Amino acid sequence: MTVNHKLDDIDLKILSELQRDGRIRINELASRVGLSLPPCLRRVRSLRSRGVIKAIRATIDEKVLGYEVVSFVSIQLASQAKAALEAFEASIAALPMVLQSWRISGEADFLLKCVAPDVEGMHQQLRQFAAMPEVRTIRSLPVLGVAKDAPLPIPGDPTPRSDP
């Protein structure tokens, strides 16, 4: 569902700066976007409360925590009935190694981003998915490396950067 959020140039500058550095101090953010501290803080709070800013969090290298295998897994369900979709979503919500899940269209119904400590751990995940009654087909795509991981392009931002 798309929500129409009216964003002006200042909001877009704030979003651009926060994507570059989510830990920026509010006084530095205010300076970079040309506001004083109180209105900048109000705008950031408004962007959060309206759901424009979903979260600000650290991106951690999976390998540092022992997750040597990152994979994308496409899942086709036996049925696209609402009950089957909801049952599958509830099942994967309980699995901490499934980091993200998207409903998609095409040959598969879901695309999952998963981590595992090793290839055997990934194999166990695939067996776990296969045991779910809603699942018809599973395809796994182990990640060999990241070619690009960029923030969202901000309209009007002349200098988008992929690194904070």
Side-chain angles (χ1 to χ4, degrees):
M1 175 170 94
T2 303
V3 178
N4 186 7
H5 295 286
K6 293 184 180 178
L7 302 173
D8 64 15
D9 290 343
I10 298 292
D11 290 333
L12 295 173
K13 287 179 186 177
I14 289 170
L15 295 173
S16 180
E17 292 299 331
L18 287 174
Q19 278 196 130
R20 285 188 185 110
D21 181 3
R23 297 182 328 144
I24 189 172
R25 293 181 184 272
I26 195 70
N27 58 341
E28 176 65 20
L29 177 62
S31 173
R32 288 187 191 178
V33 301
L35 291 176
S36 63
L37 189 63
C40 184
L41 185 56
R42 276 194 302 274
R43 281 180 179 258
V44 170
R45 286 179 177 155
S46 172
L47 290 166
R48 284 181 151 183
S49 69
R50 292 167 28 207
V52 176
I53 298 173
K54 293 182 185 181
I56 296 175
R57 57 184 170 193
T59 302
I60 301 169
D61 182 344
E62 298 92 351
K63 289 180 178 15
V64 170
L65 296 180
Y67 302 115
E68 294 293 325
V69 178
V70 176
S71 63
F72 288 93
V73 179
S74 67
I75 304 281
Q76 181 184 47
L77 300 182
S79 166
Q80 285 73 40
K82 184 178 179 182
L85 294 170
E86 290 174 352
F88 180 75
E89 288 176 345
S91 296
I92 61 168
L95 302 176
M97 301 301 204
V98 176
L99 303 181
Q100 296 175 327
S101 172
W102 298 278
R103 275 193 198 176
I104 59 174
S105 68
E107 292 183 20
D109 298 303
F110 287 88
L111 182 64
L112 312 178
K113 181 180 179 184
C114 304
V115 294
D118 50 31
V119 173
E120 178 55 32
M122 183 182 83
H123 189 216
Q124 288 174 7
Q125 284 176 344
L126 296 175
R127 287 193 306 258
Q128 197 171 22
F129 298 144
M132 294 177 184
E134 305 86 12
V135 173
R136 174 184 288 165
T137 306
I138 302 168
R139 288 195 174 91
S140 64
L141 304 156
V143 173
L144 300 177
V146 177
K148 182 176 181 179
D149 183 12
L152 283 171
I154 302 291
D157 187 354
T159 58
R161 294 180 255 167
S162 58
D163 296 325

